[in-house]
């Protein structure tokens, strides 16, 4: 079945970097774009951007430029989110979500299980 | 402040019908389809409704979606205790060139 499995929780100090992975299975990885979504503690969902898994070209949403980098390793069907110069406000659960596109529209399905990144000194 | 506006909470008793609204603008709901996601406590969001009113396989027909102009609604009939979750609407925004979400509605089954 189509599945996205993310890496485990991370505890980092301010100023450090973190790399979250999202391994896809059950479909052709390069046929579907991948999105990243952030959910701060007790808050709603915020779209961070997406990466074209065919070309590797990333697109970042407003507020997610500079310290956030999307990348791929297509040989292992894995997407990555790297965040540098971590701040306390980066503490959140980060989700990857596959883009599903059809003539009637497009949506996110499935989602990864989420990776909690905690930034604390 | 979310681009799409949802009520922060909703509630109902088992068997009741509840609706959750999602209000947007001409650049998002007014010109693109709406999707709904269900987030059960402590879990990842899951696709509930896509393209305004389509249910993925496995989603009970108790869940339905609709859209009119710049607003959308999610209706849940025959409310069950396992429907207690957060519900989010989402749409592509042509002005922002990105996806926007509602702030989420916490549904409580009394």
């Amino acid at each position: 079945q189509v599945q996205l499995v993310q890496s485990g929780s991370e505890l980092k100090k301010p100023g450090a970097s973190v790399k979250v992975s999202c391994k896809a299975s059950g479909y052709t990885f390069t046929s579907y774009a991948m999105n990243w979504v952030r959910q701060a503690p007790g808050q709603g969902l915020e779209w961070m951007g997406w990466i074209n898994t065919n070309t590797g070209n990333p697109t970042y949403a407003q507020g997610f430029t500079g310290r956030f980098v999307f990348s791929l390793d297509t040989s292992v069907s894995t997407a990555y989110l790297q965040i540098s110069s971590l701040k306390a406000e980066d503490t959140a659960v980060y989700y990857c979500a596959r883009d599903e596109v059809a003539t009637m529209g497009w949506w996110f399905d499935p989602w990864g299980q989420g990776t909690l990144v905690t930034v604390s000194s | 402040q979310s681009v799409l506006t949802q009520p922060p909470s909703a509630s109902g008793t088992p068997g009741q019908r509840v609706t959750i609204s999602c209000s947007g603008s001409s650049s998002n709901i007014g010109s693109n389809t709406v999707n709904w996601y269900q987030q059960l406590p402590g879990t990842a969001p899951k696709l509930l409704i896509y393209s305004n009113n389509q249910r993925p396989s496995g989603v009970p027909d108790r869940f339905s979606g609709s859209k009119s102009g710049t607003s959308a609604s999610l209706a849940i009939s025959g409310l069950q205790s396992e429907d207690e979750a957060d519900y989010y609407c989402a749409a592509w925004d042509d002005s922002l060139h990105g996806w926007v979400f509602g702030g989420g509605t916490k549904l409580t089954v009394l």
Side-chain angles (χ1 to χ4, degrees):
Chain A
Q1 75 282 20
V2 175
Q3 196 173 8
L4 301 176
V5 178
Q6 297 184 224
S7 49
S9 298
E10 301 268 9
L11 174 60
K12 296 291 184 180
K13 294 190 184 305
S17 295
V18 68
K19 193 169 187 177
V20 176
S21 67
C22 170
K23 182 171 177 58
S25 61
Y27 71 98
T28 301
F29 181 69
T30 52
S31 295
Y32 298 81
M34 192 69 76
N35 296 270
W36 289 95
V37 176
R38 181 172 77 178
Q39 186 170 37
Q43 302 300 308
L45 304 173
E46 188 175 16
W47 182 69
M48 301 173 66
W50 67 285
I51 184 165
N52 184 320
T53 55
N54 201 34
T55 65
N57 184 48
T59 299
Y60 301 97
Q62 292 175 13
F64 294 99
T65 56
R67 299 188 299 115
F68 300 85
V69 176
F70 306 148
S71 62
L72 305 170
D73 184 343
T74 56
S75 68
V76 290
S77 301
T78 301
Y80 299 95
L81 163 65
Q82 183 160 0
I83 311 171
S84 58
S85 302
L86 283 163
K87 307 173 183 180
E89 49 264 42
D90 293 323
T91 295
V93 176
Y94 293 85
Y95 295 101
C96 58
R98 191 185 77 163
D99 228 32
E100 181 75 58
V101 181
T103 53
M104 60 181 71
W106 73 109
W107 51 89
F108 298 164
D109 185 47
W111 294 59
Q113 85 275 20
T115 296
L116 173 62
V117 175
T118 303
V119 183
S120 174
S121 55
Chain B
Q1 193 87 4
S2 302
V3 174
L4 304 181
T5 301
Q6 297 180 234
S9 63
S11 63
T13 56
Q16 265 191 333
R17 181 178 188 271
V18 297
T19 61
I20 296 172
S21 62
C22 175
S23 177
S25 67
S26 58
S27 64
N28 41 66
I29 294 179
S31 49
N32 295 295
T33 58
V34 177
N35 306 315
W36 290 88
Y37 300 94
Q38 178 193 56
Q39 187 174 33
L40 295 169
T43 69
K46 182 191 95 167
L47 180 67
L48 188 67
I49 297 287
Y50 66 94
S51 296
N52 302 329
N53 55 18
Q54 303 297 304
R55 282 187 312 276
S57 63
V59 173
D61 58 7
R62 302 185 296 102
F63 294 91
S64 62
S66 64
K67 179 185 126 172
S68 178
T70 59
S71 294
S73 290
L74 172 70
I76 309 171
S77 60
L79 200 60
Q80 299 181 4
S81 58
E82 55 260 41
D83 297 335
E84 212 166 75
D86 293 325
Y87 293 86
Y88 294 91
C89 58
W92 180 264
D93 191 295
D94 292 336
S95 296
L96 297 174
H97 303 288
W99 285 97
V100 291
F101 287 92
T105 298
K106 183 176 184 60
L107 175 64
T108 302
V109 181
L110 302 170

